[in-house]
Amino acid sequence: MSKVYFKNDYSELAAPEVLAYMAKISNGHYNGYGLDEICESAADRIKKELKYDNCDVHFMGGGTQTNLVMLDQILRSYEAVAAVSTGHINVHESGSIERTGHKIEALPSHNGKMCAADLEDLLRHRTDEHMVKIGAAYISQSTETGTVYSKKELQELKRVCSDNGIYLFIDGARLGVALMCDGSDLKMSDMPYLCDAFYIGATKNGGMLGEALVIVNDDLKPHFRNAMKQHGALLAKGFVVGAQFDALFTDGLYYRLAEHSNTMALNLKKKMQEKGIELTIDSPTNQQFIRLPNEKVKELENNFAFEIWEDGPEYTVIRLVCSWATREEDIDKLLKAL
Amino acid sequence: MSKVYFKNDYSELAAPEVLAYMAKISNGHYNGYGLDEICESAADRIKKELKYDNCDVHFMGGGTQTNLVMLDQILRSYEAVAAVSTGHINVHESGSIERTGHKIEALPSHNGKMCAADLEDLLRHRTDEHMVKIGAAYISQSTETGTVYSKKELQELKRVCSDNGIYLFIDGARLGVALMCDGSDLKMSDMPYLCDAFYIGATKNGGMLGEALVIVNDDLKPHFRNAMKQHGALLAKGFVVGAQFDALFTDGLYYRLAEHSNTMALNLKKKMQEKGIELTIDSPTNQQFIRLPNEKVKELENNFAFEIWEDGPEYTVIRLVCSWATREEDIDKLLKAL
Amino acid sequence: MSKVYFKNDYSELAAPEVLAYMAKISNGHYNGYGLDEICESAADRIKKELKYDNCDVHFMGGGTQTNLVMLDQILRSYEAVAAVSTGHINVHESGSIERTGHKIEALPSHNGKMCAADLEDLLRHRTDEHMVKIGAAYISQSTETGTVYSKKELQELKRVCSDNGIYLFIDGARLGVALMCDGSDLKMSDMPYLCDAFYIGATKNGGMLGEALVIVNDDLKPHFRNAMKQHGALLAKGFVVGAQFDALFTDGLYYRLAEHSNTMALNLKKKMQEKGIELTIDSPTNQQFIRLPNEKVKELENNFAFEIWEDGPEYTVIRLVCSWATREEDIDKLLKAL
Amino acid sequence: MSKVYFKNDYSELAAPEVLAYMAKISNGHYNGYGLDEICESAADRIKKELKYDNCDVHFMGGGTQTNLVMLDQILRSYEAVAAVSTGHINVHESGSIERTGHKIEALPSHNGKMCAADLEDLLRHRTDEHMVKIGAAYISQSTETGTVYSKKELQELKRVCSDNGIYLFIDGARLGVALMCDGSDLKMSDMPYLCDAFYIGATKNGGMLGEALVIVNDDLKPHFRNAMKQHGALLAKGFVVGAQFDALFTDGLYYRLAEHSNTMALNLKKKMQEKGIELTIDSPTNQQFIRLPNEKVKELENNFAFEIWEDGPEYTVIRLVCSWATREEDIDKLLKAL
């Protein structure tokens, strides 16, 4: 019997609607490198969702790639990017930003989030050429620990960036669950007003692979396809990624899948709280973090797949992730085992 | 009516057998980042084809990416790579190798191929630190113009590399058609003995996307997954690429698709020669290049999709590419139009 | 009247003995790029001081340059370097290490020093390819805040590095004052046994400019001149830098200049302590840090040159640096003004 | 007896007037990193020579360094620089430009010079993102083979650059001899109108070390000191380099030294021509290239120092360089030996 999966939100090939769409396009011939009608259609759908036309949409293969190509485009050769210490680019991308030549200045993480005052303080203290110049701020929505920025928090960060002449880039690998979470005051159509560039992740929200990068600020648009090609990010069959988004933004599939992930996770969260299980982070989205005795974790590993987040001598923090593919019966099984 | 496609070998989603395989795996859960059973199975199949077990197989998203990650792994920070002037990395990858910090030293192209004597001569003249040190040679099999290295030519290049302590890397984006072409004396199982690393392309041979990189030389193996991650080349759903190869190396599908591409192209070539059409390169594989009067090219563009290779005041060289999806009736239509 | 200088240890052209040596060589002709008899003689003198012959000595123009060329040589493209948060490469080199492609992993600073246990802990937690691989540790002797590693502390760090297969590189821009400070148990000839590479600074110890890099570990020696050239660090008139060291290591000048700097600083320190002035760091070398009321700092600025280290609403920390050129009367003037 | 030097123009410490100036400043205290009164005075003198005030002057340690820092500032991450195949950055800087991430596109060398039509043609063919975007052109004045661009040739190149929205950067490591050569129609004050940035070399024209970079185009000025620091090019004792230029641009010393180099070289050239010695390049400046039988070269090597430029089975091309330090008697000795 195979394990019940709470390991991550990218364990399955793709949502059935996406696969159906791909079957449909399997007899066509398409232009290479994203210059095809599927990518065009997908970009149009995204612009409609954004209610914003003056932006460029590029389809990339994965999140780390999107982060590094976009930040390399944003930053001048002598510039650095500010991120929280727990930011994905700072800890889980193997030094990819630095490999493109740019320092990451780590700010304190407040439940995974960057605080506008911290950013302002950093920028105020950068006055000479011995300390690296900051050219952008990077944040994730939702964050690496499942938390979510409110609209006001994003506006504050954007204001600090604008006031200081730097750019704000939002990693939206898990943007869907952020938009659809309980109590969210953020809509997809707010995004272009809250940053200079951001992306909408498909890999972690029911697509087979890919991220749709949206460049809002005109400064950042020229020659972006050169930058993609140069970093090996311009797929010959760009239409494969375009297809994910054309499917996901048909009939609101993207939002439905995110909502399902959240619903499953919040149901699990609520019931774990009722059972008195310690949640280490108060996350409103599809990632939940709990602390368990080590022997309990060992026992769970027999029948469930999940990530170890922090290990200790007696207790272990594990991460439980729900996805579009998580079923109520999976939750039930896990709750029973807990 | 849509155009008949001779534009390239990556215009279609994937061969039916590959799509069938993907449908089959669509209900499973898999580990992330290529650490799953599909990638394991695919790597095993490749090693069996190679009759060579002591190699590492990594699944990457595309050719430019594979070239840049592998060459960056091969070369020390102060080293350059030798390639022919027409090499893909030298002209059609937008400066990607240089972006990782390495110069490309261009050697003369002999019908798209590197000559061992030229390489030897280059290495002999690199004696001081003012000229960049050469650390590797890069070649493509088949080449960018459809030509093919014989086994003896590869052995010669390998010998020059070994004698000079540099590595040989073979871009196999179109390896299939090279192995399967008329008169080829090269087998898949020869490859590990002819270079230090090479890759087997799926994107241009019936797969949805991806290249299988095979690292033969032990020097180049350590920490390659770090290098992949750092360059944004470690896909979260690595199993999507693994699946392509697991399908392609079942029942010889990979070879059959390559053979079909060649058969179609050589049939076309023979009949064009009979018609007296000028072939600018004598290619035994699925890429053919012909010179036509400009008005003829204009006319063809109405019903056929192809690439302009070189334009001139009166004549234009166009590239015609056959793929696994090319049908005899496509060839007939084109011949009639010519 | 010009100000009394406590700003840094690189405010003057060079010590008189160094200038005399340069006058002496002003009529000769020398080979370019450090391949001349002056550099050879200087390297020999350094090897004699080290009582260690199996090392390579290279003459570089400045500290940031030496750090970046050496670390780029040490690290593979996917590797990072560990340094304390206050390390020069982490805060005062404008992202130079990252510009060569390498992340800096910041460890806690214990009075400017790296603790072996912290390094060991970092290395123990680097187990997968999502987190960047550590390839080296970087420390400064003396540190950026004037403190000094004991021989035992260096041995501990070296052991952790060796046990984990990483390299230890010591920034010796201010090595002289570290070796000559009160209570130091470290000799120049200990250096080759305590690290894989280090440098001896002339810029901050009486030379006109330059650092002598000593590469001890054989792994790091090949093609280093290529790396220098590639980073613009191979001076056409390499003999200008060689001359500094040939002069400094004649009759112990290097040590005498360092000793003078320390003597002046410790005299100043002792008298400031007697006056009840708060020292923020207990430094045994030529850099001293004191906290003063803001109005006092304003007043001092009229007649003295020094650096502001940390500013606050009421108090300011200033740095006072003594050099080979500091005179007793300078100290007296400052003490009177304090 | 030591050899007579025709090896290069950087074999001596510095011209006597420069050394006298340095002696004069040896008792002062100066601010670090080029923010001192000597650098300020030197920059003012240069601006006066240029009759151009709206430019930034930066003092760097050497030519390769200046080339790489300036080009890295000019180019966006995805851009390349055009240079002739014989350009210093293309062959003799060990891949330094590529190390900063930028491809060099090599154009044909016409006696060491770039032809505007070649550049125009290259730019016309760069239409898609698969080929790297050109962001700048790099030329040397005088060139690597001693030849000189006329004012008209420079105007043509500048026009092509401006028309295509790219920058023109001139390597002036040997600018002095270009300005002062027989038949030159170019004045120092023309330079700001002929390019976006250029530098004036001291290393090869009587200074101890250093190049004065002049940035004319406002686009390229911001944060250049960050770029310098990041590449290890911001010397702690910037005043050492500033001093060279303050001395060289006092009473026209810079021009006198260049003129002397040319006079010596042209005298030598004329007499070699009279003797029927084959000159391989018609150079009007201080570098001369002659072809001699191999046995003659062997014989000369006993008493003269020079560079081998090209070797062959019977004949060898050697380079003879005159400098500010070359004496008539040196020329006489060489002519006698020839």
Side-chain angles (χ1 to χ4, degrees):
Chain A
M1 198 202 74
S2 78
K3 293 185 184 184
V4 183
Y5 251 70
F6 290 97
K7 192 155 188 179
N8 55 50
D9 32 18
Y10 44 85
S11 301
E12 298 83 19
L13 188 60
E17 296 89 337
V18 172
L19 294 176
Y21 180 102
M22 292 184 76
K24 227 174 59 188
I25 65 163
S26 65
N27 291 315
H29 303 281
Y30 306 98
N31 274 336
Y33 304 104
L35 301 173
D36 61 89
E37 63 261 36
I38 297 174
C39 287
E40 204 180 337
S41 165
D44 283 348
R45 287 184 195 273
I46 287 171
K47 289 177 183 181
K48 252 171 230 152
E49 292 298 316
L50 296 173
K51 297 183 179 129
Y52 198 92
D53 208 55
N54 183 27
C55 59
D56 285 357
V57 180
H58 299 280
F59 299 105
M60 318 273 285
T64 297
Q65 182 178 81
T66 308
N67 288 334
L68 79 87
V69 181
M70 189 70 239
L71 284 170
D72 197 31
Q73 173 83 348
I74 290 175
L75 301 171
R76 297 305 308 243
S77 59
Y78 48 75
E79 288 182 333
V81 57
V84 291
S85 59
T86 53
H88 207 261
I89 57 168
N90 196 43
V91 278
H92 283 110
E93 301 188 356
S94 210
S96 64
I97 301 305
E98 291 87 353
R99 188 65 189 81
T100 67
H102 304 289
K103 192 181 185 70
I104 299 172
E105 285 283 345
L107 292 173
S109 166
H110 303 273
N111 277 321
K113 295 193 278 181
M114 184 183 290
C115 161
D118 290 344
L119 178 60
E120 206 156 24
D121 194 55
L122 173 71
L123 293 166
R124 196 183 308 119
H125 283 87
R126 289 304 159 93
T127 51
D128 73 40
E129 59 273 5
H130 297 271
M131 300 183 95
V132 69
K133 190 188 164 294
I134 307 296
Y138 159 97
I139 59 171
S140 305
Q141 171 79 322
S142 62
T143 70
E144 292 72 11
T145 51
T147 54
V148 173
Y149 287 89
S150 71
K151 193 164 162 179
K152 193 167 159 244
E153 287 171 325
L154 293 176
Q155 285 167 334
E156 266 300 282
L157 283 167
K158 182 74 181 80
R159 186 194 54 74
V160 172
C161 289
S162 299
D163 288 358
N164 287 276
I166 73 167
Y167 298 98
L168 181 59
F169 171 51
I170 301 180
D171 174 335
R174 289 191 178 99
L175 182 61
V177 295
L179 296 175
M180 301 309 290
C181 80
D182 246 32
S184 164
D185 58 351
L186 202 67
K187 293 194 300 290
M188 186 63 99
S189 57
D190 294 326
M191 293 303 293
Y193 302 96
L194 296 169
C195 61
D196 300 287
F198 71 100
Y199 66 95
I200 304 169
T203 307
K204 295 175 177 174
N205 197 39
M208 186 180 289
L209 87 169
E211 324 291 313
L213 175 67
V214 181
I215 306 184
V216 180
N217 191 315
D218 286 341
D219 300 353
L220 307 177
K221 294 172 185 171
H223 302 294
F224 188 75
R225 285 173 60 83
N226 280 76
M228 286 175 71
K229 181 66 189 169
Q230 194 174 53
H231 286 295
L234 197 65
L235 282 170
K237 297 194 188 173
F239 62 86
V240 172
V241 179
Q244 313 302 312
F245 288 92
D246 212 34
L248 286 168
F249 286 105
T250 298
D251 301 333
L253 176 61
Y254 178 79
Y255 306 106
R256 286 204 313 278
L257 296 174
E259 196 166 34
H260 175 85
S261 306
N262 282 345
T263 305
M264 290 294 112
L266 290 209
N267 185 16
L268 173 62
K269 177 184 180 181
K270 197 181 130 213
K271 295 207 171 126
M272 291 192 301
Q273 283 175 314
E274 287 167 11
K275 277 175 177 288
I277 290 168
E278 185 194 354
L279 296 159
T280 61
I281 293 158
D282 183 19
S283 157
T285 62
N286 71 322
Q287 300 186 81
Q288 299 295 328
F289 300 81
I290 59 174
R291 191 190 315 272
L292 295 175
N294 292 353
E295 59 270 35
K296 187 72 195 168
V297 171
K298 277 254 145 39
E299 183 196 312
L300 281 178
E301 282 178 331
N302 294 320
N303 297 308
F304 299 90
F306 49 83
E307 290 276 358
I308 302 295
W309 208 246
E310 277 172 49
D311 52 5
E314 290 176 61
Y315 289 86
T316 300
V317 177
I318 66 169
R319 185 181 73 162
L320 300 167
V321 187
C322 294
S323 80
W324 65 271
T326 306
R327 297 162 305 175
E328 284 195 28
E329 60 192 87
D330 300 332
I331 304 288
D332 293 343
K333 277 182 201 162
L334 178 59
L335 286 167
K336 198 182 279 177
L338 284 167
Chain B
M1 199 202 72
S2 79
K3 293 184 184 184
V4 183
Y5 251 70
F6 290 97
K7 193 157 189 178
N8 56 51
D9 32 19
Y10 44 87
S11 300
E12 298 83 19
L13 188 59
E17 295 89 337
V18 171
L19 293 175
Y21 180 102
M22 293 184 76
K24 229 173 57 187
I25 65 162
S26 65
N27 291 316
H29 305 280
Y30 305 98
N31 275 336
Y33 304 104
L35 301 172
D36 61 90
E37 64 261 37
I38 296 175
C39 287
E40 203 179 337
S41 165
D44 283 348
R45 286 184 195 274
I46 286 170
K47 289 176 184 182
K48 253 172 229 152
E49 291 298 317
L50 296 173
K51 299 187 177 120
Y52 199 91
D53 209 55
N54 183 25
C55 58
D56 285 358
V57 180
H58 299 279
F59 298 105
M60 319 274 285
T64 297
Q65 184 179 80
T66 308
N67 288 334
L68 79 87
V69 181
M70 189 69 239
L71 283 171
D72 197 30
Q73 173 82 349
I74 290 176
L75 301 171
R76 299 303 309 242
S77 60
Y78 48 76
E79 288 181 332
V81 57
V84 290
S85 58
T86 53
H88 207 261
I89 57 169
N90 195 43
V91 280
H92 283 110
E93 300 188 358
S94 211
S96 64
I97 301 303
E98 292 87 352
R99 188 65 188 81
T100 66
H102 305 289
K103 191 180 185 69
I104 299 172
E105 285 284 345
L107 291 174
S109 166
H110 303 274
N111 277 322
K113 295 193 277 181
M114 183 184 291
C115 162
D118 290 344
L119 178 60
E120 206 155 24
D121 193 56
L122 173 71
L123 294 167
R124 195 182 311 121
H125 283 87
R126 289 305 157 93
T127 50
D128 74 38
E129 59 272 6
H130 298 272
M131 299 182 97
V132 69
K133 190 187 164 296
I134 309 296
Y138 159 96
I139 59 171
S140 305
Q141 171 79 323
S142 61
T143 70
E144 292 73 12
T145 52
T147 54
V148 172
Y149 287 89
S150 70
K151 194 164 161 178
K152 192 166 159 245
E153 287 171 325
L154 293 176
Q155 285 167 334
E156 265 300 281
L157 283 167
K158 182 74 181 79
R159 185 192 55 74
V160 172
C161 289
S162 299
D163 287 359
N164 287 277
I166 73 169
Y167 299 98
L168 180 60
F169 171 51
I170 301 180
D171 173 334
R174 290 192 177 99
L175 182 61
V177 295
L179 296 177
M180 302 307 291
C181 79
D182 246 32
S184 164
D185 58 351
L186 202 67
K187 294 194 299 292
M188 186 63 99
S189 56
D190 294 327
M191 293 302 294
Y193 302 97
L194 296 169
C195 61
D196 299 287
F198 70 99
Y199 67 95
I200 304 170
T203 307
K204 296 175 176 173
N205 197 38
M208 187 179 287
L209 87 169
E211 324 291 314
L213 175 66
V214 181
I215 306 183
V216 180
N217 191 315
D218 286 343
D219 299 354
L220 308 176
K221 293 172 184 171
H223 303 293
F224 188 74
R225 284 173 62 83
N226 280 75
M228 286 175 70
K229 181 66 188 169
Q230 195 175 52
H231 285 295
L234 196 65
L235 283 169
K237 297 194 189 174
F239 62 86
V240 172
V241 180
Q244 312 303 312
F245 288 92
D246 213 33
L248 286 168
F249 285 104
T250 298
D251 301 334
L253 176 61
Y254 178 79
Y255 305 107
R256 284 205 313 278
L257 296 174
E259 194 166 35
H260 177 84
S261 305
N262 282 345
T263 304
M264 289 293 113
L266 290 208
N267 185 16
L268 173 62
K269 177 183 180 181
K270 196 180 129 213
K271 295 208 172 124
M272 290 192 301
Q273 282 175 314
E274 287 167 13
K275 276 175 176 286
I277 291 167
E278 185 194 355
L279 297 160
T280 62
I281 292 158
D282 183 19
S283 157
T285 62
N286 71 322
Q287 299 187 81
Q288 298 294 328
F289 301 82
I290 59 174
R291 190 188 318 270
L292 294 175
N294 292 354
E295 59 270 35
K296 187 71 194 170
V297 171
K298 278 253 145 39
E299 184 196 312
L300 282 178
E301 281 177 332
N302 294 319
N303 298 309
F304 299 89
F306 51 82
E307 290 276 358
I308 302 294
W309 209 246
E310 278 172 47
D311 52 5
E314 290 175 61
Y315 289 86
T316 300
V317 178
I318 66 169
R319 185 182 72 164
L320 301 167
V321 187
C322 294
S323 81
W324 65 269
T326 305
R327 295 163 306 174
E328 283 196 27
E329 62 192 87
D330 300 332
I331 304 288
D332 293 343
K333 277 183 200 160
L334 179 59
L335 287 167
K336 198 184 277 178
L338 284 167
Chain C
M1 198 202 73
S2 80
K3 293 184 184 185
V4 184
Y5 251 69
F6 291 95
K7 194 155 188 179
N8 56 50
D9 31 19
Y10 44 85
S11 300
E12 299 84 18
L13 188 59
E17 295 90 337
V18 171
L19 294 176
Y21 179 102
M22 293 185 75
K24 228 174 57 187
I25 64 162
S26 66
N27 290 315
H29 304 281
Y30 306 98
N31 276 336
Y33 304 105
L35 301 173
D36 60 89
E37 64 261 35
I38 296 174
C39 287
E40 203 179 336
S41 166
D44 282 348
R45 286 183 195 274
I46 287 171
K47 289 177 184 180
K48 253 172 228 151
E49 291 298 316
L50 297 172
K51 299 184 179 127
Y52 198 91
D53 208 56
N54 183 26
C55 58
D56 285 359
V57 180
H58 299 280
F59 298 105
M60 318 273 285
T64 297
Q65 183 179 81
T66 308
N67 287 334
L68 79 88
V69 181
M70 189 69 237
L71 283 171
D72 197 30
Q73 172 84 348
I74 290 176
L75 301 171
R76 298 302 309 241
S77 59
Y78 48 76
E79 289 182 331
V81 57
V84 291
S85 59
T86 53
H88 207 261
I89 57 168
N90 195 43
V91 279
H92 284 109
E93 300 189 356
S94 210
S96 63
I97 301 304
E98 292 87 352
R99 188 66 188 83
T100 66
H102 305 288
K103 192 179 185 69
I104 299 171
E105 285 285 343
L107 292 174
S109 166
H110 303 274
N111 277 323
K113 294 193 278 181
M114 184 184 291
C115 160
D118 289 345
L119 179 60
E120 206 155 24
D121 194 55
L122 174 71
L123 293 168
R124 195 183 310 121
H125 283 87
R126 289 305 160 92
T127 51
D128 72 39
E129 59 272 5
H130 297 271
M131 300 182 96
V132 68
K133 190 189 164 294
I134 308 296
Y138 159 97
I139 58 171
S140 305
Q141 171 79 323
S142 63
T143 72
E144 293 72 13
T145 51
T147 54
V148 173
Y149 288 89
S150 71
K151 194 162 160 178
K152 190 165 160 247
E153 287 172 325
L154 293 176
Q155 284 167 334
E156 265 300 282
L157 283 167
K158 181 74 181 81
R159 186 193 55 73
V160 173
C161 289
S162 299
D163 286 358
N164 287 277
I166 73 169
Y167 299 97
L168 180 60
F169 171 51
I170 301 180
D171 174 335
R174 290 190 177 100
L175 182 61
V177 293
L179 296 176
M180 302 308 291
C181 79
D182 247 31
S184 164
D185 58 352
L186 202 67
K187 292 194 300 293
M188 186 63 99
S189 56
D190 293 327
M191 294 302 293
Y193 302 96
L194 295 170
C195 61
D196 299 288
F198 70 100
Y199 66 94
I200 304 169
T203 307
K204 296 174 177 175
N205 197 38
M208 186 179 288
L209 87 168
E211 324 291 314
L213 175 66
V214 181
I215 307 184
V216 180
N217 191 316
D218 286 342
D219 299 353
L220 308 176
K221 293 172 185 172
H223 303 293
F224 188 75
R225 284 173 62 83
N226 281 75
M228 287 175 70
K229 180 66 188 169
Q230 194 174 52
H231 285 295
L234 196 65
L235 283 170
K237 298 193 189 175
F239 62 85
V240 172
V241 179
Q244 312 303 311
F245 288 93
D246 211 35
L248 286 167
F249 286 105
T250 297
D251 300 334
L253 176 62
Y254 179 79
Y255 305 107
R256 285 204 313 278
L257 296 174
E259 195 166 35
H260 176 85
S261 305
N262 281 345
T263 304
M264 290 294 113
L266 290 208
N267 184 16
L268 174 62
K269 177 183 179 181
K270 195 180 131 216
K271 294 205 172 125
M272 291 192 302
Q273 282 175 315
E274 287 167 12
K275 276 175 177 288
I277 290 167
E278 186 195 353
L279 296 160
T280 62
I281 293 158
D282 183 19
S283 156
T285 61
N286 71 321
Q287 299 187 82
Q288 299 294 328
F289 300 82
I290 59 174
R291 191 190 315 271
L292 294 175
N294 292 352
E295 58 271 33
K296 188 70 194 170
V297 170
K298 277 253 144 42
E299 184 196 312
L300 281 178
E301 282 177 331
N302 295 319
N303 297 309
F304 299 89
F306 50 82
E307 290 278 357
I308 303 295
W309 208 245
E310 277 173 48
D311 52 4
E314 290 176 60
Y315 288 86
T316 300
V317 177
I318 66 169
R319 184 182 72 162
L320 300 167
V321 187
C322 294
S323 80
W324 64 270
T326 306
R327 296 161 306 174
E328 282 195 30
E329 62 192 87
D330 300 332
I331 303 287
D332 293 344
K333 278 183 198 160
L334 179 59
L335 286 167
K336 198 184 279 177
L338 282 168
Chain D
M1 198 203 72
S2 80
K3 292 185 184 184
V4 183
Y5 251 69
F6 291 96
K7 193 156 188 180
N8 56 51
D9 31 19
Y10 43 86
S11 300
E12 299 83 19
L13 188 60
E17 296 90 337
V18 171
L19 294 176
Y21 180 102
M22 294 185 75
K24 227 174 59 187
I25 65 163
S26 64
N27 291 315
H29 304 281
Y30 306 99
N31 275 337
Y33 304 105
L35 302 172
D36 60 272
E37 63 260 37
I38 296 174
C39 286
E40 203 180 336
S41 165
D44 283 349
R45 286 183 196 273
I46 287 171
K47 289 177 183 180
K48 252 171 230 155
E49 292 298 316
L50 296 173
K51 300 186 176 122
Y52 198 91
D53 209 57
N54 182 26
C55 58
D56 284 358
V57 180
H58 299 280
F59 298 105
M60 319 273 285
T64 297
Q65 183 179 82
T66 308
N67 287 334
L68 79 88
V69 181
M70 189 69 237
L71 283 171
D72 197 31
Q73 172 84 347
I74 289 175
L75 301 171
R76 298 303 308 241
S77 58
Y78 48 77
E79 289 182 332
V81 58
V84 291
S85 58
T86 53
H88 207 262
I89 57 169
N90 195 43
V91 279
H92 284 108
E93 300 189 356
S94 209
S96 64
I97 300 304
E98 293 86 353
R99 189 66 189 82
T100 68
H102 305 290
K103 192 181 184 68
I104 300 172
E105 285 284 344
L107 292 173
S109 166
H110 303 274
N111 276 322
K113 295 193 278 182
M114 185 184 291
C115 161
D118 289 344
L119 179 61
E120 206 155 24
D121 193 55
L122 173 71
L123 294 167
R124 195 183 310 119
H125 283 88
R126 289 305 159 93
T127 51
D128 73 39
E129 59 272 4
H130 297 271
M131 299 183 97
V132 69
K133 191 188 163 295
I134 308 296
Y138 159 97
I139 59 171
S140 305
Q141 172 77 324
S142 62
T143 71
E144 292 73 12
T145 50
T147 55
V148 173
Y149 287 89
S150 71
K151 193 162 161 180
K152 192 166 160 247
E153 286 171 325
L154 294 176
Q155 285 167 334
E156 266 301 280
L157 283 168
K158 181 73 182 79
R159 187 194 54 75
V160 173
C161 289
S162 298
D163 287 358
N164 287 278
I166 72 168
Y167 298 98
L168 181 60
F169 171 51
I170 301 180
D171 173 335
R174 289 191 177 100
L175 182 61
V177 294
L179 296 176
M180 302 308 290
C181 79
D182 246 31
S184 165
D185 59 351
L186 202 67
K187 292 194 301 289
M188 186 64 99
S189 56
D190 294 325
M191 293 302 294
Y193 301 97
L194 296 169
C195 62
D196 299 288
F198 70 99
Y199 66 94
I200 304 169
T203 307
K204 295 176 177 173
N205 197 38
M208 186 179 288
L209 87 169
E211 324 291 314
L213 175 67
V214 180
I215 306 183
V216 180
N217 191 316
D218 285 343
D219 299 353
L220 307 177
K221 293 172 184 172
H223 302 294
F224 188 75
R225 284 173 61 82
N226 281 76
M228 286 176 70
K229 180 66 189 168
Q230 194 174 51
H231 286 294
L234 197 65
L235 283 170
K237 297 193 188 174
F239 62 86
V240 171
V241 179
Q244 312 303 312
F245 288 92
D246 213 34
L248 286 168
F249 286 104
T250 297
D251 300 334
L253 175 62
Y254 178 79
Y255 306 106
R256 284 204 315 277
L257 296 174
E259 195 166 34
H260 176 84
S261 306
N262 282 344
T263 304
M264 290 293 113
L266 290 207
N267 184 16
L268 174 62
K269 177 184 180 180
K270 196 179 131 216
K271 294 205 173 125
M272 291 193 301
Q273 282 175 313
E274 287 167 11
K275 276 175 176 288
I277 289 167
E278 185 194 353
L279 296 160
T280 62
I281 293 158
D282 183 19
S283 157
T285 61
N286 71 323
Q287 299 188 82
Q288 299 295 327
F289 301 81
I290 59 174
R291 190 190 317 270
L292 294 175
N294 292 353
E295 59 271 34
K296 188 72 194 168
V297 171
K298 277 253 145 42
E299 183 196 312
L300 282 178
E301 282 177 332
N302 294 319
N303 298 309
F304 299 90
F306 50 83
E307 289 277 359
I308 302 295
W309 209 246
E310 277 172 48
D311 51 5
E314 290 176 60
Y315 289 87
T316 299
V317 178
I318 67 169
R319 185 181 72 164
L320 300 168
V321 187
C322 294
S323 80
W324 64 270
T326 305
R327 295 162 306 174
E328 284 195 28
E329 61 192 88
D330 300 332
I331 304 288
D332 293 344
K333 277 183 200 160
L334 179 59
L335 286 167
K336 199 184 277 175
L338 283 167

